[in-house]
Amino acid sequence: MDDEPLARSNLTVLLRHDPEIEIVGECGSGRKALAEIRRRKPDLIFLDVQMPEFDGFDLVEKLGKDLPPAVVFVTAYDQYALKAFEAGALDYLLKPFDDARFGRALSRAKERIAHNIEFPGKTDRFVIKGTGQVTFVNISDVDWIEAADYYACLHVRTKSHLLRRRMCDLERELDETAFCRIHRSSIVNLKRIRGLEVNEAGEYEVVLDSGTRLSLSRRYRKQVQARLGIRSSDPV
């Protein structure tokens, strides 16, 4: 998804070299890309940062659970790399790139897609691999999950565990009756929520039983209130 026809054409040529790839569409704006991705449900998208109507990061956030398993950002701007990985990108292709670099990105994407096909569905625990040890964390014990660079940080009472997973993948796997996305960088266990409060800046915060206060994005406010059984007419 790129607003530059030449850039899209170059990607199309490279993708057609791989017989395992089927190109289902290309878009020049964020709004069109959102509709096409939801309609066609591709396994892989190549996404520019800057597009008309809304940018690539807005598109990722709007897609939510509809985000494909593999997302590769393709852009001429190197300053967005960290933000891209925090948003769940698998790779970040900086223009101009050569065929070899593109090939590595495509191989990673195909591996991710194959993994999703091989291991679908939900799980009841996380497997944390460390140096010389493997730790199991029951999902029900997790208070909240935070995006942390290339990882997701699982907060379990006073401990934290780093998991090399994308937030969008975790959101898809978690039971939506038990966990809820409240921000681009936060997912919370609904049973740990003590309440919602408005801070001094007039923004909503989710307050957990532990006293932890997390920002509640306007995009997710209605969803959170609905999950907590708060009607739109109720005062908050």
Side-chain angles (χ1 to χ4, degrees):
M1 312 302 169
D2 197 311
D3 64 334
E4 300 176 13
L6 180 59
R8 297 201 305 271
S9 176
N10 290 339
L11 281 175
T12 298
V13 170
L14 290 171
L15 288 168
R16 283 178 176 160
H17 289 162
D18 192 320
E20 296 181 347
I21 297 295
E22 177 187 2
I23 301 173
V24 297
E26 57 180 80
C27 305
S29 71
R31 193 172 303 281
K32 184 177 179 181
L34 179 64
E36 284 295 291
I37 292 170
R38 284 177 170 167
R39 182 171 71 90
R40 295 183 176 273
K41 302 186 183 306
D43 295 314
L44 165 65
I45 59 173
F46 289 87
L47 183 62
D48 198 356
V49 170
Q50 295 190 347
M51 296 186 296
E53 298 170 339
F54 48 81
D55 65 26
F57 298 112
D58 290 332
L59 175 61
V60 167
E61 186 170 326
K62 290 177 184 294
L63 282 169
K65 290 187 176 183
D66 293 326
L67 190 69
V71 177
V72 177
F73 274 87
V74 184
T75 179
Y77 304 94
D78 60 359
Q79 67 265 36
Y80 300 112
L82 180 57
K83 186 176 180 180
F85 286 113
E86 288 179 342
L90 177 66
D91 208 334
Y92 191 90
L93 282 176
L94 188 62
K95 302 175 187 177
F97 52 82
D98 57 26
D99 291 1
R101 177 67 182 89
F102 178 83
R104 291 195 296 273
L106 185 58
S107 293
R108 291 189 66 197
K110 289 164 69 174
E111 289 175 4
R112 169 65 61 79
I113 294 166
H115 177 84
N116 276 29
I117 293 174
E118 186 177 358
F119 301 102
K122 303 182 186 300
T123 180
D124 60 357
R125 66 180 181 179
F126 292 115
V127 180
I128 312 296
K129 298 179 180 179
T131 304
Q133 67 176 4
V134 176
T135 303
F136 297 101
V137 175
N138 291 328
I139 291 180
S140 59
D141 292 336
V142 175
D143 298 326
W144 66 289
I145 304 172
E146 176 184 17
D149 295 343
Y150 307 104
Y151 296 82
C153 183
L154 310 179
H155 294 272
V156 185
R157 301 181 184 86
T158 59
K159 296 182 180 180
S160 60
H161 306 272
L162 286 178
L163 184 67
R164 194 174 182 85
R165 297 290 300 281
R166 303 189 309 169
M167 292 289 280
C168 54
D169 288 339
L170 292 175
E171 185 181 14
R172 273 195 292 263
E173 293 179 16
L174 292 169
D175 183 351
E176 63 181 15
T177 65
F179 286 84
C180 186
R181 191 81 172 256
I182 66 167
H183 191 275
R184 177 181 289 176
S185 60
S186 306
I187 297 174
V188 299
N189 186 333
L190 292 171
K191 291 184 178 180
R192 303 296 194 274
I193 296 179
R194 187 169 70 196
L196 304 180
E197 295 183 9
V198 179
N199 60 24
E200 294 180 353
E203 299 294 332
Y204 278 87
E205 292 182 333
V206 173
V207 184
L208 305 185
D209 290 335
S210 63
T212 300
R213 307 177 75 91
L214 304 171
S215 295
L216 173 56
S217 169
R218 291 184 180 180
R219 171 170 174 74
Y220 296 104
R221 187 188 303 169
K222 289 185 178 179
Q223 173 181 279
V224 172
Q225 290 178 336
R227 297 279 185 88
L228 295 174
I230 302 173
R231 296 172 300 180
S232 58
S233 58
D234 292 338
V236 178

